[in-house]
């Protein structure tokens, strides 16, 4: 407990706010949540973050931190009951890849089920956006959010595949949670916080996907409840002490989930990274310069790729490298023989290309904005 609580600026229906909120609750961190229409957000917070974006955490000392990764890493450094990064290099890397899958690759699932079924969910969504942003802004924000679908790869050809993908994911997760309460054992890792982002705010609240989850995957729905509860809500697993998996053979249910993820994120991730490489080579950005000309623009272009064989066009956000290069950092600090063993395991799972390597640049964050840095 702190002398004054942290302040979380966000919204109930926000994917990334949900990720941070779950972390704060699970760790027992004292906080209050405020909406973006709170006067402090406009007068004090926006000038410090440079763009209208959530979540934002304000510390008791007045420090302002934007972005779910930066918020969680800051709190980890302060000391928490349940640190989220496993000591095992393999589990650490896999956790970051799962976080990427939830927070980036699953945006198409989350946004499709929210906006493609808008008519069936209109009252719920309008209430959520009005409560979160105020009546005057709700319609404008809803229109802008729904317009993102094409740039996420949601089109008539991909929609049936997205829905098949989601049903398969629910089945895989349901089987896994029959064995253990969290993705990497009996305590939550950054993998759980990455996956809860879409599986709570959109897929675990909006009426259409929530019904699908409840009907098809009751253990997944229970995991969503667990992740949004205070502390570790593991009453169904009394024999399991809070710990990550041993650094040995992966459980079959986890391996099946990882192979599913590998089939979902490629070739899209490969094509995005290739586009970014070409963009950096052409533009030669200065060290420390923002990744885009305007802070509110997060994409540097569009790339043609595929999702489960369907042609899609997606926006390329340098932020994805900011997320995944943390896995690269874990790999690089290992001794050479262990590094090769890790790569071999990742290759067997189809995930070695999810650890970006061999680049002369990276993406950092300065003043709450992504920027280009030398590797």
């Amino acid at each position: 407990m702190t002398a004054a609580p942290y302040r979380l600026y966000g919204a109930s229906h926000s994917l990334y706010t949900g990720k941070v909120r779950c972390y704060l609750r699970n760790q027992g961190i004292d906080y209050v949540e405020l909406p973006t229409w709170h006067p402090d957000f406009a007068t004090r917070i926006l000038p410090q973050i440079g763009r209208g974006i959530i979540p934002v955490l304000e510390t008791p000392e007045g420090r302002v931190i934007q972005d779910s990764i930066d918020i969680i890493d800051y709190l980890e450094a302060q000391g928490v009951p349940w640190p989220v990064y496993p000591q095992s290099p393999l589990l650490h890397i896999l956790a970051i890849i799962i976080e990427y899958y939830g927070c980036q690759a699953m945006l198409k699932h989350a946004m499709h089920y929210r906006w493609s079924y808008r008519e069936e969910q209109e009252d719920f969504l309008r209430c959520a956006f009005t409560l979160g942003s105020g009546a005057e802004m709700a319609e404008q924000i809803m229109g802008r959010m729904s317009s993102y679908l094409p740039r996420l790869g949601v089109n008539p050809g991909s929609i049936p595949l997205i829905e098949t993908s989601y049903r398969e994911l629910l089945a895989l997760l349901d089987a896994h949670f029959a064995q253990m309460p969290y993705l990497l054992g009996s305590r939550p890792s950054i993998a759980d916080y990455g996956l809860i982002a879409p599986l709570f705010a959109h897929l675990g609240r909006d009426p259409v996907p929530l019904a699908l989850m409840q009907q098809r995957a009751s253990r997944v729905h229970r995991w969503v409840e667990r992740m949004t509860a205070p502390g570790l809500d593991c009453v169904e697993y009394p024999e399991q002490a809070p710990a990550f998996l041993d650094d040995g053979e992966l459980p079959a249910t986890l391996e099946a989930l990882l192979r599913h993820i590998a089939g979902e994120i490629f070739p899209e991730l490969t094509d995005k990274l290739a586009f970014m490489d070409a963009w950096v080579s052409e533009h030669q950005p200065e060290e420390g310069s923002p990744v885009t000309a305007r802070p509110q623009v997060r994409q540097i272009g569009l790339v043609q790729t595929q999702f489960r064989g369907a042609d899609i066009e997606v926006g390329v956000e340098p932020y994805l490298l900011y997320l995944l290069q943390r896995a690269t950092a874990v790999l690089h600090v290992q001794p050479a023989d262990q590094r090769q063993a890790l790569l071999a395991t990742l290759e067997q799972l189809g995930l070695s290309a999810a650890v970006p390597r061999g680049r002369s640049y990276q993406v950092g964050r300065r003043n709450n904005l992504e920027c280009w840095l030398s590797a």
Side-chain angles (χ1 to χ4, degrees):
M1 298 290 288
T2 55
Y6 288 89
R7 305 179 101 197
L8 176 66
Y9 294 88
S12 60
H13 54 278
S14 159
L15 186 145
Y16 296 105
T17 301
K19 177 184 177 184
V20 173
R21 185 190 303 112
C22 287
Y23 179 89
L24 292 168
R25 288 180 177 177
N26 290 170
Q27 302 288 3
I29 296 172
D30 190 20
Y31 80 100
V32 294
E33 187 166 343
L34 301 171
T36 55
W37 48 261
H38 190 282
D40 283 357
F41 190 75
T43 58
R44 294 194 302 103
I45 304 302
L46 276 179
Q48 297 185 66
I49 62 175
R51 56 185 170 181
I53 190 171
I54 52 176
V56 180
L57 186 76
E58 186 176 19
T59 73
E61 298 76 28
R63 178 176 175 180
V64 171
I65 309 165
Q66 196 285 308
D67 187 72
S68 63
I69 292 175
D70 291 4
I71 291 169
I72 289 175
D73 285 356
Y74 170 82
L75 293 169
E76 288 280 301
Q78 309 312 302
V80 291
W82 312 111
V84 298
Y85 295 106
Q87 292 295 311
S88 156
L90 175 61
L91 293 182
H92 192 159
I93 291 171
L94 292 175
I96 291 171
I97 293 173
I98 297 172
E99 181 189 20
Y100 166 80
Y101 174 64
C103 289
Q104 294 289 297
M106 282 194 70
L107 289 176
K108 59 173 59 66
H109 303 73
M111 295 289 275
H112 158 64
Y113 274 104
R114 171 162 289 179
W115 299 114
S116 299
Y117 290 95
R118 179 169 174 174
E119 184 176 347
E120 295 92 325
Q121 306 179 128
E122 180 69 21
D123 288 348
F124 179 86
L125 293 175
R126 188 167 294 280
C127 175
F129 277 82
T130 298
L131 292 174
S133 305
E136 293 184 5
M137 292 295 296
E139 185 65 35
Q140 177 183 336
I141 295 174
M142 291 171 74
R144 184 174 74 247
M145 290 291 180
S146 61
S147 73
Y148 293 157
L149 291 184
R151 298 175 73 93
L152 293 171
V154 180
N155 62 42
S158 68
I159 282 175
L161 300 170
I162 292 169
E163 297 197 348
T164 297
S165 161
Y166 181 55
R167 290 192 294 270
E168 290 177 1
L169 175 65
L170 288 177
L172 290 166
L173 289 173
D174 213 53
H176 184 68
F177 292 136
Q179 307 300 319
M180 59 193 68
Y182 299 101
L183 289 168
L184 300 184
S186 50
R187 54 185 276 197
S189 71
I190 197 64
D192 293 277
Y193 293 111
L195 207 56
I196 194 62
L199 284 172
F200 170 68
H202 293 61
L203 301 169
R205 287 184 80 247
D206 295 359
V208 170
L210 171 59
L212 187 63
M213 181 188 292
Q214 291 173 323
Q215 293 162 5
R216 287 178 170 265
S218 56
R219 290 186 181 89
V220 180
H221 184 258
R222 177 68 186 107
W223 170 81
V224 172
E225 291 182 333
R226 183 175 305 120
M227 288 296 294
T228 56
L232 304 187
D233 182 13
C234 301
V235 63
E236 304 95 336
Y237 309 84
E239 72 287 356
Q240 297 189 19
F244 291 130
L245 294 166
D246 292 333
D247 191 8
E249 185 175 351
L250 299 177
T253 53
L254 177 59
E255 187 169 328
L257 173 64
L258 293 168
R259 294 189 185 282
H260 173 83
I261 290 173
E264 300 278 283
I265 64 177
F266 300 113
E268 182 176 335
L269 175 57
T270 305
D271 292 337
K272 285 182 173 181
L273 289 170
F275 182 96
M276 202 181 312
D277 290 344
W279 191 96
V280 170
S281 177
E282 177 184 352
H283 292 85
Q284 295 291 311
E286 295 183 5
E287 178 78 6
S289 63
V291 296
T292 59
R294 292 183 295 160
Q296 64 270 32
V297 175
R298 306 197 69 183
Q299 298 175 350
I300 57 174
L302 295 168
V303 65
Q304 297 288 333
T305 186
Q306 289 190 329
F307 175 75
R308 288 191 162 212
D311 292 331
I312 59 174
E313 183 179 55
V314 294
V316 180
E317 290 190 9
Y319 179 79
L320 74 87
L321 187 58
Y322 183 69
L323 196 163
L324 287 174
Q325 68 195 17
R326 293 147 63 229
T328 309
V330 175
L331 181 68
H332 281 172
V333 298
Q334 307 308 316
D337 57 342
Q338 189 170 356
R339 192 181 315 138
Q340 291 307 311
L342 287 168
L343 286 172
T345 300
L346 293 169
E347 185 68 35
Q348 291 173 1
L349 294 168
L351 290 169
S352 62
V355 183
R357 303 184 299 282
R359 287 174 171 79
S360 61
Y361 68 93
Q362 57 184 348
V363 175
R365 281 176 63 85
R366 292 179 178 175
N367 300 319
N368 293 300
L369 297 174
E370 292 83 27
C371 61
W372 298 111
L373 298 176
S374 299

